[in-house]
Amino acid sequence: MIHEEKKMKVKKGWLAVRVGLEDEDGGGFQRFVIPISYLYHPLFRSLLEKAHEVYGYNAAGPLRLPCSVDDFLHLRWMVEKEAAATSHHHHHHHLPVSLSFHSC
């Protein structure tokens, strides 16, 4: 039977990303699907710049992000929390950020 995971369709407006730090057997990666709008958030932009430094732009397949799964989940939580806060309040504010991204 053909393994279907690689052929999974991503909804329009969403982006598949591959998160995890390099290790010896190349494992430790997890696939996530995030809204493309996240890429415009300052936190994700800094991570994308780091991804360019580490991997370059020529990687095939899902976008690879050079951070641990835990860091990614924390980052996603902060972006979602900020999005929820700004949609419920008229004033715009930024949450303090103290994330350090690991590179290989």
Side-chain angles (χ1 to χ4, degrees), residues 41 81-96:
H41 191 282
K81 184 177 177 185
E82 185 176 294
T86 56
S87 68
H88 289 98
H89 298 294
H90 293 292
H91 61 280
H92 194 274
H93 59 88
H94 291 282
L95 299 175

Side-chain angles (χ1 to χ4, degrees), residues 2-91:
I2 298 171
H3 189 57
E4 289 294 327
E5 186 181 350
K6 291 182 181 177
K7 295 183 178 181
M8 284 171 54
K9 297 272 185 189
V10 178
K11 289 188 293 185
K12 191 170 185 176
W14 291 70
L15 175 72
V17 295
R18 204 166 161 233
V19 179
L21 299 176
E22 291 280 7
D23 53 30
E24 290 175 8
D25 63 3
F29 289 100
Q30 286 191 35
R31 184 179 186 270
F32 293 91
V33 180
I34 58 171
I36 286 176
S37 60
Y38 279 18
L39 300 182
Y40 299 102
H41 191 282
L43 293 176
F44 266 95
R45 289 196 78 81
S46 62
L47 183 53
L48 289 173
E49 288 169 14
K50 188 70 178 173
H52 171 59
E53 289 174 25
V54 176
Y55 303 124
Y57 284 128
N58 297 320
L63 178 64
R64 290 173 65 186
L65 301 177
C67 65
S68 69
V69 171
D70 286 344
D71 280 346
F72 176 79
L73 292 174
H74 183 65
L75 174 65
R76 186 177 68 175
W77 173 79
M78 289 201 310
V79 172
E80 288 173 353
K81 184 177 177 185
E82 185 176 294
T86 56
S87 68
H88 289 98
H89 298 294
H90 293 292
H91 61 280

